[in-house]
Amino acid sequence: MAKGKVTINEVICKGCGLCVSVCPKKVLDLSTTKINAAGYNPAEMVSDDCIACTSCAKMCPDCAITVEKLD
Amino acid sequence: MAVVFEKTKALTDVKLHYCPGCAHGIVHRLVAECLEEMDEVKNAIACVPVGCAVFANNYFNFDAIQCAHGRAPATATGIKRVHPDKMVLTYQGDGDLASIGTCEIVHAAARGEKVTTIFINNGIYGMTGGQMAPTTLPGMKATTAKAGRDPKINGNPLRVSEMLATLTGPAYIERVSVSTPAQVTQAKKAIKKALEIQKQGLGFTFVEVVSTCPTNWGLTPVKAMEFVRDKMIPYYPLGVFKDITAEEGK
Ligand SMILES: Cc1ncc(C[n+]2csc(CCOP(=O)(O)OP(=O)(O)O)c2C)c(N)n1
Ligand code: SF4
Ligand code: SF4
Ligand code: SF4
Ligand SMILES: [Mg+2]
């Protein structure tokens, strides 16, 4: 399966958790250490199992996610 | 390495003011992506509502006008008749479209105005703090229905897509949702189809999106998406209610 990588824009992320809830590989979680200027815990990658399916990005209401396919 | 998903250029870089997890942001993106893919960004004019989406003009990277409450279909009618080659759309909530603006949407649809309406049904007046909307489900709590909507007192919720589908003017009516990635994909297809039918000048096009208001529903964004699937969609079934392009093909 293709390997992928997501980049979260931590400035605009609102920590809503929608991306976390739809990731089929449980790659994402809300940060327990970071907090952004708006007071939200941004989403972050917690494993290397991303398959670049884009499900998380499709659900993000704030367009905070960029997905790349790694070759 | 190849980028397989990034933010569309048809949205500005302005940070959305919506609450965390509010589905308005998802639908804004879908509208913008469709216009970008159709190469219509420079040719589009959005008529935005009174409601939480009142500042949508700051986010859409195309022309937009803020309309009087519920009157976006009338504004869109004027714009489209003067500029028939523009892509004209209205983006409206359920308080805006199904309450104060019921007259305007029904008659724009009946006249077959060649515009596209994106109808955000979140079953509540979001912006003003959670009052009952015409679309609030039976039993669903609102600040003006503390014990939950009682159809005996408050009447039953309107199914706008079904109602408009009885008219001759509409060319295309579909109800979609955005509570899962698969639904988001389908919602985008519906919006694209509606815009394409507008471009062909075939008639009025309408896409209802069963949406969320996590804040006034008192649910987390993830639970609000579950509420859409468990409670909203059974009352507001997804699907195509009218498609004159399919009828022609029969
Ligand atoms: C003429 C007029 N009447 C009432 C209001 C108050 N008002 C502002 S937004 C709104 C309803 C918003 O609900 P909806 O259209 O469902 O949008 P949402 O915020 O849920 O997206 C109302 C009644 C107003 N601004 N103008
Ligand atoms: S692209 Fe798919 S696999 Fe990768 S983080 Fe997003 S949802 Fe998970
Ligand atoms: S869906 Fe978007 S805003 Fe919500 S937590 Fe994920 S990256 Fe942040
Ligand atoms: S009040 Fe409701 S509809 Fe308005 S931005 Fe917040 S969650 Fe969205
Ligand atoms: Mg509403």
Side-chain angles (χ1 to χ4, degrees):
Chain A
M1 217 175 268
K3 291 285 275 173
K5 181 184 153 221
V6 299
T7 308
I8 315 273
N9 181 335
E10 290 177 359
V11 178
I12 62 168
C13 171
K14 292 175 184 159
C16 72
L18 289 178
C19 55
V20 176
S21 74
V22 299
C23 175
K25 294 289 177 186
K26 309 244 174 295
V27 169
L28 301 168
D29 207 347
L30 300 183
S31 178
T32 49
T33 52
K34 286 184 212 154
I35 186 160
N36 67 18
Y40 300 120
N41 299 113
E44 61 185 14
M45 277 181 94
V46 292
S47 93
D48 295 329
D49 297 337
C50 177
I51 53 168
C53 70
T54 74
S55 290
C56 54
K58 283 185 183 132
M59 292 304 291
C60 179
D62 290 88
C63 291
I65 302 179
T66 305
V67 185
E68 286 165 287
K69 204 174 239 174
L70 308 173
D71 10 63
Chain B
M1 220 155 65
V3 173
V4 287
F5 192 104
E6 64 184 335
K7 183 175 176 173
T8 166
K9 304 265 182 303
L11 289 175
T12 64
D13 287 331
V14 178
K15 195 173 162 187
L16 303 184
H17 73 283
Y18 301 112
C19 306
C22 174
H24 268 304
I26 301 176
V27 186
H28 282 21
R29 188 188 77 233
L30 297 182
V31 170
E33 284 176 352
C34 288
L35 288 168
E36 184 179 43
E37 286 164 22
M38 293 172 73
D39 197 19
E40 292 286 351
V41 178
K42 288 205 171 67
N43 198 39
I45 303 173
C47 301
V48 308
V50 169
C52 280
V54 65
F55 295 129
N57 53 295
N58 292 337
Y59 312 134
F60 292 147
N61 214 353
F62 38 92
D63 279 344
I65 179 168
Q66 288 180 342
C67 306
H69 203 4
R71 274 66 188 190
T75 309
T77 295
I79 294 172
K80 185 73 180 186
R81 286 186 177 210
V82 175
H83 298 288
D85 296 329
K86 294 282 178 192
M87 294 296 281
V88 180
L89 58 112
T90 79
Y91 183 105
Q92 304 176 256
D94 42 7
D96 189 80
L97 181 144
S99 185
I100 194 168
T102 321
C103 172
E104 278 73 15
I105 192 63
V106 167
H107 287 284
R111 293 191 306 272
E113 298 296 342
K114 296 171 183 63
V115 301
T116 299
T117 290
I118 310 296
F119 171 42
I120 306 299
N121 177 1
N122 59 6
I124 203 109
Y125 286 16
M127 184 199 209
T128 43
Q131 294 82 2
M132 184 177 61
T135 43
T136 301
L137 296 176
M140 195 172 163
K141 289 194 175 99
T143 56
T144 48
K146 287 279 186 201
R149 182 182 190 140
D150 178 357
K152 283 200 207 78
I153 298 167
N154 310 120
N156 283 290
L158 298 186
R159 291 187 180 95
V160 179
S161 288
E162 286 86 335
M163 255 167 55
L164 296 182
T166 65
L167 301 170
T168 308
Y172 182 70
I173 298 178
E174 180 165 354
R175 184 186 288 120
V176 296
S177 188
V178 290
S179 84
T180 63
Q183 287 180 356
V184 170
T185 302
Q186 180 57 32
K188 183 171 170 182
K189 254 192 221 159
I191 293 169
K192 181 75 93 50
K193 179 150 186 182
L195 292 169
E196 271 161 3
I197 291 175
Q198 175 182 166
K199 201 169 173 179
Q200 292 160 30
L202 298 180
F204 178 74
T205 50
F206 187 86
V207 179
E208 173 172 348
V209 184
V210 182
S211 190
T212 61
C213 178
T215 299
N216 289 298
W217 290 2
L219 297 173
T220 65
V222 173
K223 290 276 173 212
M225 292 302 187
E226 285 170 19
F227 184 85
V228 164
R229 294 191 290 276
D230 296 346
K231 300 282 193 274
M232 296 282 280
I233 292 176
Y235 193 92
Y236 298 112
L238 308 185
V240 177
F241 294 91
K242 188 154 189 210
D243 181 0
I244 62 162
T245 63
E247 285 157 23
E248 273 164 12
K250 265 182 206 158

